[in-house]
């Protein structure tokens, strides 16, 4: 009888733990994951800054072809502000990021660019409801669309908020060539990678989705970034370019 009572007590404690401690543990784990990811992202961008620079310079040069007036720009997942140096002066920049722990570093970075008016909003690419239809001159996304839950909805929102002729500037890692060794490891590690890196999808087909989204013109390059670290080779294949509404 003692054993049965003990087992029943353990079951009750286990169920209670799931019901009451489970949500708390999940909230704690999510918080720690966001903080860790923010720190990881800063270091990643710092280590790869010069590797990204040629692509950034190429896609952001389209700002020089846009009207010479203060532009309203939205950056999805701005992180620590790695793209600030490429923005035109007097731009109004709205940074939308689901990670509240990115705000502090981003605003510190913004102090280096006093000519740019920066605001930060907690949000996701799938829901840009704080922005009116056709109210934005440009949208930026660099290494963000890999982590959205609904890629097609995110692109639909980008098109909705862009003015006619507005530009979507992007640089994203994508699924490797089918049959390659990297492609195998991307699929093999997809689930643990997703949980460890805030929803990052190693097999995202962003290049294909952008082509089907409904932009009037797309200039896109598919290329391999020369990462030296073995782990980063999982996200070596990239698409980058400018899509016009």
């Amino acid at each position: 009888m003692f054993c049965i009572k003990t087992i029943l007590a353990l079951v009750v404690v286990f169920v209670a733990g799931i019901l009451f401690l489970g949500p708390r543990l999940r909230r704690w784990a999510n918080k720690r994951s966001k903080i860790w990811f923010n720190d990881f992202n800063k270091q990643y961008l710092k280590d790869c800054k010069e590797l990204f620079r040629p692509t950034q310079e190429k896609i952001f040069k389209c700002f020089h072809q846009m009207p010479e007036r203060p532009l309203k720009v939205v950056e999805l997942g701005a992180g620590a502000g790695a793209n600030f140096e490429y923005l035109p002066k007097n731009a109004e920049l709205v940074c939308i990021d689901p990670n509240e722990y990115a705000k502090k570093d981003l605003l510190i970075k913004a102090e280096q660019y006093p000519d740019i008016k920066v605001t930060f909003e907690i949000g996701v690419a799938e829901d840009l409801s704080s922005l009116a239809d056709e109210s934005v001159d440009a949208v930026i996304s660099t290494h963000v669309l890999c982590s959205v839950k609904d890629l097609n909805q995110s692109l639909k929102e980008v098109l909705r908020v862009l003015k006619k002729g507005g530009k979507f500037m992007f640089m994203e890692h994508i699924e490797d060539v089918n049959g390659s060794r990297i492609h195998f490891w991307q699929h093999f590690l997809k689930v643990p990678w997703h949980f460890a890196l805030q929803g990052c999808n190693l097999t995202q087909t962003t290049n294909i989705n952008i082509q089907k989204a409904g932009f009037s013109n797309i200039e896109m390059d598919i290329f391999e970034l020369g990462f030296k670290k073995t782990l980063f080779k999982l996200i070596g294949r990239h698409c980058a370019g400018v899509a016009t509404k």
Side-chain angles (χ1 to χ4, degrees):
M1 182 64 71
F2 174 79
C3 291
I4 294 176
K5 288 183 177 179
T6 302
I7 293 172
L8 289 174
L10 289 173
V11 170
V12 170
V13 170
F14 178 73
V15 172
I18 293 176
L19 293 176
F20 298 104
L21 294 180
R24 294 181 184 179
L25 287 174
R26 283 194 296 271
R27 286 195 296 269
W28 177 85
N30 186 51
K31 177 181 177 180
R32 297 309 307 173
S33 176
K34 285 184 175 181
I35 293 173
W36 176 84
F37 181 76
N38 187 55
D39 292 339
F40 168 84
N41 194 45
K42 285 189 295 182
Q43 188 60 45
Y44 166 72
L45 292 173
K46 181 180 179 181
D47 291 346
C48 303
K49 182 177 181 179
E50 295 308 314
L51 195 60
F52 295 149
R53 183 177 295 279
T55 302
Q56 289 171 301
E57 291 176 345
K58 183 175 182 179
I59 63 176
F60 292 131
K61 72 178 182 181
C62 74
F63 276 126
H64 302 308
Q65 303 165 3
M66 298 180 73
E68 293 184 4
R69 57 173 173 76
L71 300 176
K72 185 170 184 179
V73 181
V74 171
E75 181 162 10
L76 306 176
N83 295 319
F84 280 9
E85 64 181 284
Y86 302 101
L87 297 177
K89 291 184 177 181
N90 301 316
E92 178 186 349
L93 178 65
V94 181
C95 300
I96 297 178
D97 200 303
N99 191 343
E100 63 270 29
Y101 299 102
K103 182 177 181 179
K104 180 180 177 181
D105 293 318
L106 185 135
L107 294 181
I108 290 174
K109 182 77 170 183
E111 293 175 357
Q112 301 175 28
Y113 301 90
D115 293 330
I116 301 173
K117 180 183 177 182
V118 179
T119 58
F120 181 92
E121 295 181 12
I122 296 176
V124 294
E126 295 93 333
D127 181 10
L128 304 179
S129 55
S130 63
L131 301 167
D133 294 358
E134 299 188 345
S135 61
V136 172
D137 296 292
V139 177
I140 298 171
S141 173
T142 58
H143 299 120
V144 172
L145 295 181
C146 58
S147 301
V148 299
K149 294 181 179 179
D150 189 332
L151 180 53
N152 288 328
Q153 175 60 24
S154 299
L155 294 172
K156 184 178 179 180
E157 279 290 86
V158 169
L159 278 164
R160 180 184 66 80
V161 302
L162 278 174
K163 298 176 181 178
K164 186 176 181 180
K167 306 294 184 181
F168 175 47
M169 308 168 200
F170 58 91
M171 176 172 63
E172 302 287 344
H173 70 81
I174 55 176
E175 184 179 33
D176 208 272
V177 178
N178 188 23
S180 70
R181 184 177 62 176
I182 295 297
H183 184 267
F184 167 81
W185 284 110
Q186 283 178 333
H187 283 264
F188 186 80
L189 296 172
K190 180 175 180 177
V191 173
W193 185 281
H194 174 90
F195 283 105
L197 291 169
Q198 286 287 301
C200 178
N201 183 358
L202 284 172
T203 61
Q204 196 80 296
T205 56
T206 304
N207 53 319
I208 296 173
N209 292 73
I210 289 176
Q211 290 170 340
K212 296 180 178 179
F215 291 97
S216 65
N217 184 64
I218 301 172
E219 297 178 6
M220 183 191 303
D221 295 322
I222 306 294
F223 57 95
E224 190 78 23
L225 274 177
F227 287 120
K228 294 181 180 180
K229 294 183 178 180
T230 301
L231 186 65
F232 286 171
K233 290 181 180 180
L234 288 171
I235 52 174
R237 192 166 188 250
H238 274 64
C239 69
V242 180
T244 304
K245 180 174 177 178

